[in-house]
Amino acid sequence: VIPEYLLLLKGVIDCPDLPLNVSRSQLQNDGFVKKISDYITKKVAEKLSGMCKTERESYEKYWDDISPFIKYGVLRDAKFAEKMTDYILFKDLEEKYCTLPELKEKGKEGVKKEDSVSEKENAGENAEEKVQKVYYVSDAVAQSQYISLFKEHKKEAVYLTERIDQPFITELEAKNSGLRFQRIDADVQEAMKDELSSDDEEKLKAAGEKLEKAFQSLLSKDKLHVKVDRLLSETPASLLSISEESRRMQDMMKMYAMSGMPMGALPLEETLILNERHPLVQYLLKHEESTETDSGKLIEEQLYDLARIQNAPLEGEAMKNFIARSEKIL
């Protein structure tokens, strides 16, 4: 009678059309049961959407408790999704709530005028279909460094920390072609980098290519990409970015592994971002020959580990080497 995503409901249903002496199988195949289920779903959606419109403060108080059920309902029931999608709330870094339409509007306001003009020239008729990125936090503790960066530079991001959120945002992306969710530590330089002239961009690109070979050789990581960017502030010196696609694929592989399906390990596509404003990075850029010296290698290894430690704690041998290297540098 009640859809599984609304099992937290309590109440009584008055319906004279159902016989008293029935079996479970008869009930499941009874047309009235389906009608009752659809009606309950419709009334719940109308109640919640009405609260969002007229009693927003009360709706926000309930939201954290009911959000996993509502999101699950959106995934399972197309009619429920149609009524509720625009009334799903997202909590931003300032602990304020906004709906999906409000979130999209914020994103439009953040697009610079010159960007939209240049894109119109490049994309022609499809300029209006610009991909709008929404950055999100999946773990407030592990991603605290990135949260601080975003707050410092007044960048927008939302909290999506429930297990249901990963399939939920995939569903939203499928239904909104111009919308793209990106974790706060994925391609972070796009949100944090400063404006550069075309000449500066070319210089930093060339510098990154040279340093990439040195880092790959030293760390024995052929797949590691290295980019030099001018971030908005002098710190941090380095950041490690994992592409959203690569990370989602890894999460999916973990889920399959948990369900007992044998899955091979998937190498992550990592990008080490070096902040051109930081003195350590400037030293490497000015003294290209230093990348082959002992002190240069110490700096490179330390920059990589400092970037890694902002994403997750180092473990085992990696932590042992980091401590030993830090002592040596001191």
Side-chain angles (χ1 to χ4, degrees):
V1 175
I2 299 175
E4 57 189 339
Y5 57 88
L6 292 180
L7 285 178
L8 73 165
L9 282 179
K10 290 183 181 180
V12 175
I13 298 164
D14 182 13
C15 178
D17 298 311
L18 289 175
L20 290 176
N21 300 316
V22 289
S23 66
R24 184 187 177 93
S25 59
Q26 280 179 307
L27 265 184
Q28 287 173 332
N29 295 315
D30 196 298
F32 284 113
V33 173
K34 183 71 174 75
K35 285 181 181 178
I36 293 169
S37 179
D38 290 343
Y39 182 75
I40 291 170
T41 304
K42 179 187 171 190
K43 294 302 286 183
V44 169
E46 285 175 356
K47 174 67 176 175
L48 291 172
S49 58
M51 277 187 75
C52 187
K53 291 173 189 173
T54 60
E55 302 172 58
R56 182 66 174 261
E57 197 174 322
S58 297
Y59 186 65
E60 289 178 0
K61 284 179 185 175
Y62 293 127
W63 180 252
D64 286 345
D65 293 327
I66 65 172
S67 66
F69 299 96
I70 305 305
K71 290 171 182 175
Y72 184 46
V74 168
L75 290 173
R76 292 299 302 267
D77 188 331
K79 288 182 180 177
F80 186 72
E82 195 179 317
K83 289 180 171 66
M84 280 304 301
T85 300
D86 286 348
Y87 304 101
I88 299 284
L89 294 186
F90 297 85
K91 189 193 288 185
D92 67 16
L93 299 182
E94 303 299 324
E95 305 284 323
K96 293 178 181 175
Y97 291 94
C98 57
T99 61
L100 186 59
E102 289 165 354
L103 200 60
K104 287 180 179 178
E105 199 56 41
K106 277 187 181 182
K108 285 177 186 175
E109 289 168 9
V111 177
K112 294 179 182 174
K113 206 170 185 180
E114 56 268 29
D115 289 347
S116 57
V117 171
S118 61
E119 280 183 9
K120 212 162 198 173
E121 291 170 355
N122 294 332
E125 292 177 5
N126 295 324
E128 295 302 318
E129 295 177 13
K130 180 187 182 301
V131 174
Q132 188 177 334
K133 287 182 183 176
V134 176
Y135 289 94
Y136 69 93
V137 175
S138 61
D139 187 326
V141 176
Q143 292 150 22
S144 58
Q145 171 74 9
Y146 297 92
I147 293 171
S148 298
L149 274 174
F150 269 61
K151 282 183 175 179
E152 183 184 343
H153 298 293
K154 294 181 170 51
K155 299 287 183 180
E156 293 285 342
V158 295
Y159 288 101
L160 291 170
T161 55
E162 302 283 349
R163 290 184 69 179
I164 191 75
D165 285 326
Q166 290 305 310
F168 175 67
I169 60 176
T170 303
E171 179 76 7
L172 284 185
E173 287 171 343
K175 290 180 177 176
N176 297 270
S177 59
L179 190 66
R180 180 74 179 145
F181 284 87
Q182 197 147 287
R183 208 167 81 172
I184 202 168
D185 56 354
D187 300 329
V188 70
Q189 81 278 11
E190 291 301 318
M192 289 292 122
K193 73 178 182 181
D194 202 355
E195 294 293 326
L196 291 170
S197 66
S198 54
D199 287 344
D200 283 342
E201 277 194 7
E202 287 299 318
K203 285 177 187 174
L204 293 183
K205 185 181 177 183
E209 287 169 358
K210 287 179 183 176
L211 285 174
E212 183 172 277
K213 292 174 184 175
F215 273 86
Q216 285 176 346
S217 173
L218 176 66
L219 301 168
S220 301
K221 286 181 174 285
D222 297 337
K223 301 292 183 184
L224 179 69
H225 300 295
V226 177
K227 286 183 75 174
V228 180
D229 262 323
R230 187 177 299 162
L231 302 186
L232 292 169
S233 56
E234 189 179 291
T235 58
S238 57
L239 290 167
L240 196 64
S241 174
I242 298 168
S243 75
E244 183 72 9
E245 292 76 12
S246 176
R247 191 194 55 71
R248 284 196 199 186
M249 186 63 73
Q250 190 191 53
D251 288 346
M252 190 171 71
M253 301 278 263
K254 283 180 185 174
M255 285 175 66
Y256 280 125
M258 284 170 66
S259 65
M261 290 179 65
M263 301 294 289
L266 184 75
L268 284 174
E269 193 178 315
E270 295 180 330
T271 301
L272 179 65
I273 300 145
L274 300 175
N275 184 5
E276 187 253 0
R277 290 184 185 275
H278 197 280
L280 276 178
V281 178
Q282 289 174 2
Y283 175 83
L284 289 177
L285 294 174
K286 285 177 184 174
H287 306 89
E288 287 182 24
E289 72 286 350
S290 69
T291 56
E292 299 301 320
T293 65
D294 288 343
S295 60
K297 288 177 180 178
L298 273 179
I299 292 172
E300 289 169 47
E301 285 184 307
Q302 198 73 354
L303 283 172
Y304 178 68
D305 276 355
L306 286 169
R308 283 176 68 196
I309 214 168
Q310 291 173 70
N311 284 39
L314 298 177
E315 295 178 2
E317 197 67 22
M319 177 56 83
K320 181 183 169 185
N321 292 338
F322 177 74
I323 291 169
R325 197 184 318 114
S326 299
E327 290 171 350
K328 190 172 182 181
I329 290 169
L330 286 169

